[in-house]
mmCIF file of all heavy atoms in Angstrom:
data_model
loop_
_atom_site.group_PDB
_atom_site.id
_atom_site.type_symbol
_atom_site.label_atom_id
_atom_site.label_comp_id
_atom_site.label_asym_id
_atom_site.label_seq_id
_atom_site.Cartn_x
_atom_site.Cartn_y
_atom_site.Cartn_z
ATOM 1 N N PRO A 15 14.972 11.860 -5.108
ATOM 2 C CA PRO A 15 16.243 11.274 -4.679
ATOM 3 C C PRO A 15 16.361 11.204 -3.182
ATOM 4 O O PRO A 15 15.679 11.890 -2.442
ATOM 5 C CB PRO A 15 17.270 12.284 -5.255
ATOM 6 C CG PRO A 15 16.552 13.585 -5.292
ATOM 7 C CD PRO A 15 15.114 13.220 -5.612
ATOM 8 N N VAL A 32 6.715 -2.552 -13.760
ATOM 9 C CA VAL A 32 5.373 -1.988 -13.608
ATOM 10 C C VAL A 32 5.089 -1.004 -14.744
ATOM 11 O O VAL A 32 5.792 0.007 -14.828
ATOM 12 C CB VAL A 32 5.187 -1.304 -12.257
ATOM 13 C CG1 VAL A 32 3.825 -0.647 -12.175
ATOM 14 C CG2 VAL A 32 5.339 -2.316 -11.134
ATOM 15 N N SER A 66 17.798 24.308 -11.598
ATOM 16 C CA SER A 66 19.103 24.619 -11.040
ATOM 17 C C SER A 66 19.203 26.075 -10.610
ATOM 18 O O SER A 66 18.393 26.916 -10.980
ATOM 19 C CB SER A 66 20.172 24.331 -12.079
ATOM 20 O OG SER A 66 20.092 25.216 -13.182
ATOM 21 N N ALA A 143 19.847 49.910 -17.928
ATOM 22 C CA ALA A 143 20.158 50.924 -16.921
ATOM 23 C C ALA A 143 20.408 52.280 -17.590
ATOM 24 O O ALA A 143 19.954 53.310 -17.102
ATOM 25 C CB ALA A 143 21.361 50.484 -16.079
ATOM 26 N N ILE A 177 20.236 30.991 -23.389
ATOM 27 C CA ILE A 177 20.837 30.237 -22.251
ATOM 28 C C ILE A 177 20.057 28.947 -22.053
ATOM 29 O O ILE A 177 20.635 27.856 -21.881
ATOM 30 C CB ILE A 177 20.836 31.095 -20.977
ATOM 31 C CG1 ILE A 177 21.776 32.283 -21.155
ATOM 32 C CG2 ILE A 177 21.263 30.242 -19.785
ATOM 33 C CD1 ILE A 177 21.651 33.313 -20.011
ATOM 34 N N ARG A 187 12.918 21.250 -23.300
ATOM 35 C CA ARG A 187 13.160 22.626 -23.751
ATOM 36 C C ARG A 187 11.918 23.463 -23.777
ATOM 37 O O ARG A 187 11.919 24.610 -23.331
ATOM 38 C CB ARG A 187 13.856 22.604 -25.132
ATOM 39 C CG ARG A 187 14.356 23.980 -25.543
ATOM 40 C CD ARG A 187 15.276 23.861 -26.734
ATOM 41 N NE ARG A 187 16.426 23.040 -26.393
ATOM 42 C CZ ARG A 187 17.265 22.538 -27.305
ATOM 43 N NH1 ARG A 187 17.080 22.798 -28.582
ATOM 44 N NH2 ARG A 187 18.279 21.805 -26.936
ATOM 45 N N VAL A 200 5.174 37.585 -14.460
ATOM 46 C CA VAL A 200 5.150 38.134 -13.083
ATOM 47 C C VAL A 200 5.463 39.637 -13.131
ATOM 48 O O VAL A 200 4.757 40.456 -12.546
ATOM 49 C CB VAL A 200 6.162 37.390 -12.203
ATOM 50 C CG1 VAL A 200 6.281 38.048 -10.821
ATOM 51 C CG2 VAL A 200 5.751 35.935 -12.036
ATOM 52 N N GLY A 201 6.540 39.998 -13.836
ATOM 53 C CA GLY A 201 6.874 41.406 -13.947
ATOM 54 C C GLY A 201 5.864 42.178 -14.739
ATOM 55 O O GLY A 201 5.574 43.363 -14.435
ATOM 56 N N VAL A 235 23.523 38.672 -12.285
ATOM 57 C CA VAL A 235 24.111 37.959 -13.408
ATOM 58 C C VAL A 235 25.575 37.642 -13.146
ATOM 59 O O VAL A 235 26.036 36.524 -13.362
ATOM 60 C CB VAL A 235 23.934 38.752 -14.706
ATOM 61 C CG1 VAL A 235 24.756 38.149 -15.843
ATOM 62 C CG2 VAL A 235 22.468 38.829 -15.107
ATOM 63 N N PRO A 240 28.480 32.980 -14.039
ATOM 64 C CA PRO A 240 29.876 33.393 -14.205
ATOM 65 C C PRO A 240 30.341 33.475 -15.656
ATOM 66 O O PRO A 240 31.313 34.146 -15.954
ATOM 67 C CB PRO A 240 30.664 32.303 -13.440
ATOM 68 C CG PRO A 240 29.720 31.140 -13.373
ATOM 69 C CD PRO A 240 28.344 31.708 -13.287
ATOM 70 N N SER A 242 29.110 35.147 -17.838
ATOM 71 C CA SER A 242 28.942 36.536 -18.294
ATOM 72 C C SER A 242 30.267 37.313 -18.205
ATOM 73 O O SER A 242 30.460 38.240 -18.960
ATOM 74 C CB SER A 242 27.876 37.229 -17.456
ATOM 75 O OG SER A 242 28.269 37.267 -16.076
ATOM 76 N N GLU A 257 50.552 32.651 -25.444
ATOM 77 C CA GLU A 257 50.594 31.245 -25.835
ATOM 78 C C GLU A 257 49.399 30.499 -25.251
ATOM 79 O O GLU A 257 48.771 29.671 -25.921
ATOM 80 C CB GLU A 257 51.899 30.625 -25.329
ATOM 81 C CG GLU A 257 52.044 29.152 -25.753
ATOM 82 C CD GLU A 257 53.350 28.567 -25.251
ATOM 83 O OE1 GLU A 257 54.179 29.321 -24.719
ATOM 84 O OE2 GLU A 257 53.543 27.348 -25.416
ATOM 85 N N ALA A 260 46.178 31.279 -27.070
ATOM 86 C CA ALA A 260 45.964 30.613 -28.340
ATOM 87 C C ALA A 260 45.216 29.306 -28.199
ATOM 88 O O ALA A 260 44.583 28.822 -29.126
ATOM 89 C CB ALA A 260 47.319 30.368 -29.006
ATOM 90 N N ASN A 273 27.606 38.548 -40.271
ATOM 91 C CA ASN A 273 27.325 38.752 -41.684
ATOM 92 C C ASN A 273 25.858 38.408 -41.986
ATOM 93 O O ASN A 273 25.406 37.344 -41.585
ATOM 94 C CB ASN A 273 28.252 37.885 -42.532
ATOM 95 C CG ASN A 273 28.223 38.260 -44.017
ATOM 96 O OD1 ASN A 273 27.181 38.613 -44.543
ATOM 97 N ND2 ASN A 273 29.369 38.187 -44.656
ATOM 98 N N THR A 358 -3.693 26.632 -33.524
ATOM 99 C CA THR A 358 -4.077 27.489 -34.644
ATOM 100 C C THR A 358 -5.576 27.450 -34.846
ATOM 101 O O THR A 358 -6.213 28.475 -35.135
ATOM 102 C CB THR A 358 -3.336 27.065 -35.924
ATOM 103 O OG1 THR A 358 -1.934 27.083 -35.697
ATOM 104 C CG2 THR A 358 -3.654 28.036 -37.058
ATOM 105 N N ALA A 367 -14.939 34.564 -32.545
ATOM 106 C CA ALA A 367 -15.769 34.842 -31.369
ATOM 107 C C ALA A 367 -15.574 36.276 -30.879
ATOM 108 O O ALA A 367 -16.529 36.952 -30.460
ATOM 109 C CB ALA A 367 -15.433 33.860 -30.248
ATOM 110 N N ALA A 374 -17.973 43.203 -21.964
ATOM 111 C CA ALA A 374 -16.746 42.789 -21.248
ATOM 112 C C ALA A 374 -16.823 41.339 -20.845
ATOM 113 O O ALA A 374 -15.805 40.639 -20.841
ATOM 114 C CB ALA A 374 -16.570 43.690 -20.027
ATOM 115 N N LEU A 381 -11.243 35.100 -24.018
ATOM 116 C CA LEU A 381 -9.799 35.110 -23.738
ATOM 117 C C LEU A 381 -9.331 33.843 -23.027
ATOM 118 O O LEU A 381 -8.158 33.508 -23.062
ATOM 119 C CB LEU A 381 -9.447 36.325 -22.890
ATOM 120 C CG LEU A 381 -9.485 37.688 -23.588
ATOM 121 C CD1 LEU A 381 -9.152 38.812 -22.598
ATOM 122 C CD2 LEU A 381 -8.521 37.726 -24.761
ATOM 123 N N CYS A 389 -0.035 31.266 -26.167
ATOM 124 C CA CYS A 389 1.192 31.006 -25.379
ATOM 125 C C CYS A 389 1.778 29.669 -25.743
ATOM 126 O O CYS A 389 3.002 29.535 -25.960
ATOM 127 C CB CYS A 389 0.853 31.030 -23.887
ATOM 128 S SG CYS A 389 0.433 32.672 -23.262
ATOM 129 N N ARG A 457 -2.122 21.483 -43.925
ATOM 130 C CA ARG A 457 -2.835 20.355 -44.453
ATOM 131 C C ARG A 457 -2.288 19.904 -45.788
ATOM 132 O O ARG A 457 -2.191 18.710 -46.085
ATOM 133 C CB ARG A 457 -4.322 20.737 -44.605
ATOM 134 C CG ARG A 457 -5.207 19.674 -45.202
ATOM 135 C CD ARG A 457 -5.495 18.565 -44.220
ATOM 136 N NE ARG A 457 -6.443 17.630 -44.750
ATOM 137 C CZ ARG A 457 -6.833 16.538 -44.095
ATOM 138 N NH1 ARG A 457 -6.403 16.319 -42.851
ATOM 139 N NH2 ARG A 457 -7.694 15.685 -44.627
#
Side-chain angles (χ1 to χ4, degrees):
V32 175
S66 66
I177 295 170
R187 190 166 301 166
V200 173
V235 170
S242 61
E257 181 179 355
N273 193 323
T358 305
L381 289 177
C389 292
R457 178 74 175 179

